[in-house]
Amino acid sequence: QVQLAESGGGPVQPGGSLRLSCLVTGHMYRMYCMAWFRQAPGKARAGVAALESDGTVTYADSVKGRFTISKDNAKNTLYLQMNSLKPEDTAIYYCAADKRSAVVAGAARYWGQGTQVTVSS
């Protein structure tokens, strides 16, 4: 049974940084794409960043140059380094994993419970 668990969220001031972690338990198919999504109050869930099994990374335009997605296979952990945070980054952040096509469609099989990020002064 595969489970994803996010951590690292919390309150932060504009311009600050935060690193989110997603711990994977169970055995994940090595060809699965892993990604971060977020959902702000009153808005639809949106993709933030994705990391494919071959190392290809994709970012939403709104976070390019500020966020970095990476993984540590030895620790079974996916990361999202967030720098220069803005109030509009406030959202619940979710980790997801599945075939690339499912992740792109926002219909990944595996999701974490989410971690809250609040950017305010």
Side-chain angles (χ1 to χ4, degrees):
Q1 185 176 28
V2 175
Q3 291 187 309
L4 308 180
E6 303 94 337
S7 62
V12 63
Q13 295 184 333
S17 298
L18 211 58
R19 187 179 76 164
L20 305 183
S21 298
C22 173
L23 176 65
V24 180
T25 55
H27 296 287
M28 184 76 68
Y29 178 50
R30 75 181 190 89
M31 297 302 294
Y32 274 6
C33 174
M34 298 194 72
W36 289 96
F37 287 78
R38 66 186 182 186
Q39 186 165 25
K43 296 185 177 181
R45 185 176 61 201
V48 176
L51 175 60
E52 298 177 32
S53 60
D54 66 357
T56 301
V57 297
T58 303
Y59 297 99
D61 288 342
S62 59
V63 308
K64 286 181 179 177
R66 300 190 297 121
F67 290 11
T68 302
I69 186 171
S70 63
K71 65 179 179 180
D72 185 333
N73 289 329
K75 296 182 178 179
N76 296 316
T77 302
L78 178 75
Y79 301 100
L80 183 67
Q81 178 66 47
M82 306 185 293
N83 299 324
S84 301
L85 285 162
K86 305 174 180 179
E88 50 263 47
D89 294 319
T90 295
I92 299 176
Y93 284 71
Y94 299 91
C95 177
D98 205 341
K99 293 180 179 179
R100 180 186 178 186
S101 59
V103 171
V104 169
R109 180 177 181 181
Y110 303 107
W111 294 88
Q113 82 289 347
T115 185
Q116 177 72 49
V117 172
T118 303
V119 186
S120 66
S121 58

